[in-house]
Amino acid sequence: VNHILYNCIAVGFESGFLDNKGNLSPIGKIQQSANQWVQKYGNPGTMYTPVAVMCDFFSGWSFPRHLYTSHVFRVWGNLPYDEGDYLTDGVLSMLYPEYRDASYFHDETGFISLTPYGDIADCILSDAPLWLLKQYPVLVIGGKLTGGHEVKDKLEEYVRAGGHLVITAGNLENLPEGLLGVKAGQKEFPLDKETVVAFGDNTFTEESGFTIREIISTEKATILASCPKGSLAMEYAAGSGKMTVFTSAFGVASGPGSFGESEIDKSFTTPYPLLKQVERVMDQIFSATEIFTAGEGLSLITCSKNKNDYTVAIGNNTWQEKPFALSSKSGKIVSVEELPLECGER
């Protein structure tokens, strides 16, 4: 069902359709019932992915660990992650918690993750054309860009056309004269862990040391998060859109924590976690894109069939029963019709 709602060109399993007697195996029954489900209910609609996470065309990024190598935190197969790569990992971990555990658990934890904001993101590269960027209400620069005038011009036009761009100081520095009159200066301010951060009407304490950069701008900013040493997250309006800027270089801790051991059936953490200030601001941005919610610890995929007509898949990827309650953040739900799944594989 996930594949169908993902709008995949092909849906299937590698093997195992038949058992040793030539009868349909449980996998074969799943495949057959999926075909029957599509014939009965038709196209589920276009998958709702309002967020794009952009990596550089030459990033070579890959998951922190996977079954094809024992090395961890590598790009291009053998090069260690840089700051931008850890930012990519941090953003994806917000969207798909436990994804780092995929292929390391016998119960396949992480392959299909819970989705705190719904399954809302696409990953794209920096060579994506402007017309494609404009289809995403939110664009997060999720890694280190190599920069250049072409990328700068696209991002500026994206914001002016109504998009919401999220970027860190390290990427502002990599773009010629920054973006939209906002650029990173040369001054740096190292901050210790336990720095107190003001966020809205609340405060919290950072768990890691980090460094912030001077931001130079002729434009007026709305301060989203700050500390005694200066602003940590700011919002700038431009044209019909806006740009959120984090003053940390790439939104992660400045010093490594424990790398830990990559072991079977054990969770895996990053030595360069996202800063809490980044998580809080990003949480607000991602939450604002939700159409439906279903409850804690579940996955949710939304497809738009027609105006005000959606196909919504709710998944529980654990062995424990969980309650759910479908609710809308964008208006009243007039009616709900269940599209039953055949469960003959049980």
Short mmCIF file of all heavy atoms in Angstrom, two decimals, residues 154-165 180 236-243:
data_model
loop_
_atom_site.label_atom_id
_atom_site.label_comp_id
_atom_site.label_asym_id
_atom_site.label_seq_id
_atom_site.Cartn_x
_atom_site.Cartn_y
_atom_site.Cartn_z
N LYS A 154 18.16 30.79 -8.43
CA LYS A 154 16.98 29.93 -8.29
C LYS A 154 16.36 30.08 -6.90
O LYS A 154 15.13 30.18 -6.77
CB LYS A 154 17.36 28.46 -8.52
CG LYS A 154 17.50 28.05 -9.97
CD LYS A 154 17.55 26.55 -10.13
CE LYS A 154 18.71 25.91 -9.38
NZ LYS A 154 18.84 24.47 -9.69
N LEU A 155 17.19 30.07 -5.88
CA LEU A 155 16.67 30.14 -4.52
C LEU A 155 16.01 31.49 -4.25
O LEU A 155 14.97 31.57 -3.58
CB LEU A 155 17.80 29.87 -3.51
CG LEU A 155 18.41 28.47 -3.55
CD1 LEU A 155 19.51 28.34 -2.50
CD2 LEU A 155 17.35 27.39 -3.35
N GLU A 156 16.61 32.55 -4.76
CA GLU A 156 16.01 33.87 -4.56
C GLU A 156 14.66 33.98 -5.26
O GLU A 156 13.68 34.50 -4.70
CB GLU A 156 16.96 34.96 -5.05
CG GLU A 156 18.18 35.14 -4.16
CD GLU A 156 19.05 36.31 -4.56
OE1 GLU A 156 19.03 36.69 -5.77
OE2 GLU A 156 19.76 36.85 -3.69
N GLU A 157 14.57 33.48 -6.48
CA GLU A 157 13.31 33.53 -7.21
C GLU A 157 12.27 32.63 -6.55
O GLU A 157 11.07 32.95 -6.52
CB GLU A 157 13.53 33.12 -8.66
CG GLU A 157 12.28 33.17 -9.53
CD GLU A 157 11.61 34.53 -9.54
OE1 GLU A 157 12.31 35.56 -9.42
OE2 GLU A 157 10.36 34.57 -9.67
N TYR A 158 12.71 31.50 -6.01
CA TYR A 158 11.81 30.59 -5.30
C TYR A 158 11.13 31.32 -4.14
O TYR A 158 9.92 31.23 -3.96
CB TYR A 158 12.58 29.38 -4.79
CG TYR A 158 11.83 28.57 -3.75
CD1 TYR A 158 10.85 27.66 -4.14
CD2 TYR A 158 12.11 28.71 -2.39
CE1 TYR A 158 10.14 26.93 -3.18
CE2 TYR A 158 11.41 27.99 -1.44
CZ TYR A 158 10.43 27.10 -1.83
OH TYR A 158 9.73 26.39 -0.89
N VAL A 159 11.92 32.06 -3.35
CA VAL A 159 11.36 32.78 -2.21
C VAL A 159 10.42 33.89 -2.69
O VAL A 159 9.30 34.03 -2.20
CB VAL A 159 12.47 33.35 -1.32
CG1 VAL A 159 11.88 34.22 -0.21
CG2 VAL A 159 13.31 32.23 -0.72
N ARG A 160 10.86 34.68 -3.64
CA ARG A 160 10.04 35.79 -4.12
C ARG A 160 8.70 35.31 -4.69
O ARG A 160 7.70 36.01 -4.63
CB ARG A 160 10.80 36.58 -5.19
CG ARG A 160 12.02 37.34 -4.65
CD ARG A 160 12.53 38.31 -5.69
NE ARG A 160 13.73 38.99 -5.24
CZ ARG A 160 14.97 38.71 -5.65
NH1 ARG A 160 15.16 37.73 -6.54
NH2 ARG A 160 16.01 39.39 -5.20
N ALA A 161 8.70 34.08 -5.21
CA ALA A 161 7.47 33.54 -5.80
C ALA A 161 6.53 32.96 -4.75
O ALA A 161 5.45 32.48 -5.10
CB ALA A 161 7.82 32.46 -6.83
N GLY A 162 6.94 32.96 -3.47
CA GLY A 162 6.04 32.50 -2.42
C GLY A 162 6.52 31.33 -1.61
O GLY A 162 5.81 30.88 -0.71
N GLY A 163 7.72 30.84 -1.88
CA GLY A 163 8.24 29.69 -1.14
C GLY A 163 8.81 30.07 0.22
O GLY A 163 9.11 31.23 0.48
N HIS A 164 8.96 29.05 1.06
CA HIS A 164 9.58 29.22 2.38
C HIS A 164 10.90 28.46 2.36
O HIS A 164 10.92 27.23 2.38
CB HIS A 164 8.67 28.70 3.48
CG HIS A 164 9.20 28.92 4.87
ND1 HIS A 164 8.50 28.57 6.00
CD2 HIS A 164 10.37 29.46 5.32
CE1 HIS A 164 9.19 28.88 7.07
NE2 HIS A 164 10.34 29.41 6.69
N LEU A 165 12.01 29.18 2.32
CA LEU A 165 13.34 28.60 2.27
C LEU A 165 13.93 28.54 3.67
O LEU A 165 13.85 29.50 4.43
CB LEU A 165 14.25 29.44 1.36
CG LEU A 165 15.71 28.99 1.26
CD1 LEU A 165 15.82 27.65 0.56
CD2 LEU A 165 16.55 30.05 0.53
N LEU A 180 19.20 37.31 -0.97
CA LEU A 180 18.18 38.31 -0.69
C LEU A 180 18.67 39.39 0.28
O LEU A 180 17.95 39.85 1.16
CB LEU A 180 16.93 37.63 -0.12
CG LEU A 180 16.28 36.59 -1.03
CD1 LEU A 180 15.32 35.70 -0.24
CD2 LEU A 180 15.55 37.28 -2.19
N TYR A 236 13.16 36.24 7.40
CA TYR A 236 13.16 37.41 6.52
C TYR A 236 12.05 37.26 5.49
O TYR A 236 11.88 36.18 4.91
CB TYR A 236 14.50 37.55 5.79
CG TYR A 236 15.68 37.79 6.70
CD1 TYR A 236 16.39 36.71 7.25
CD2 TYR A 236 16.11 39.08 7.00
CE1 TYR A 236 17.48 36.92 8.07
CE2 TYR A 236 17.20 39.30 7.82
CZ TYR A 236 17.87 38.22 8.36
OH TYR A 236 18.95 38.44 9.18
N ALA A 237 11.32 38.33 5.24
CA ALA A 237 10.29 38.33 4.20
C ALA A 237 10.89 38.87 2.90
O ALA A 237 11.72 39.79 2.92
CB ALA A 237 9.10 39.18 4.62
N ALA A 238 10.48 38.28 1.78
CA ALA A 238 10.93 38.74 0.46
C ALA A 238 9.89 38.38 -0.57
O ALA A 238 9.51 37.21 -0.69
CB ALA A 238 12.28 38.12 0.10
N GLY A 239 9.40 39.35 -1.32
CA GLY A 239 8.36 39.08 -2.30
C GLY A 239 7.14 38.49 -1.62
O GLY A 239 6.67 39.00 -0.61
N SER A 240 6.67 37.36 -2.14
CA SER A 240 5.53 36.68 -1.54
C SER A 240 5.94 35.58 -0.56
O SER A 240 5.07 34.92 0.02
CB SER A 240 4.66 36.05 -2.65
OG SER A 240 4.22 37.03 -3.56
N GLY A 241 7.25 35.39 -0.39
CA GLY A 241 7.72 34.29 0.45
C GLY A 241 8.55 34.75 1.63
O GLY A 241 8.55 35.92 2.00
N LYS A 242 9.27 33.81 2.21
CA LYS A 242 10.09 34.12 3.37
C LYS A 242 11.26 33.16 3.45
O LYS A 242 11.27 32.08 2.83
CB LYS A 242 9.27 34.07 4.65
CG LYS A 242 8.56 32.74 4.90
CD LYS A 242 7.63 32.85 6.10
CE LYS A 242 6.82 31.57 6.32
NZ LYS A 242 5.90 31.69 7.46
N MET A 243 12.26 33.55 4.25
CA MET A 243 13.47 32.75 4.41
C MET A 243 13.81 32.65 5.89
O MET A 243 13.90 33.67 6.58
CB MET A 243 14.63 33.38 3.63
CG MET A 243 15.95 32.66 3.80
SD MET A 243 17.26 33.31 2.71
CE MET A 243 17.52 34.96 3.40
#
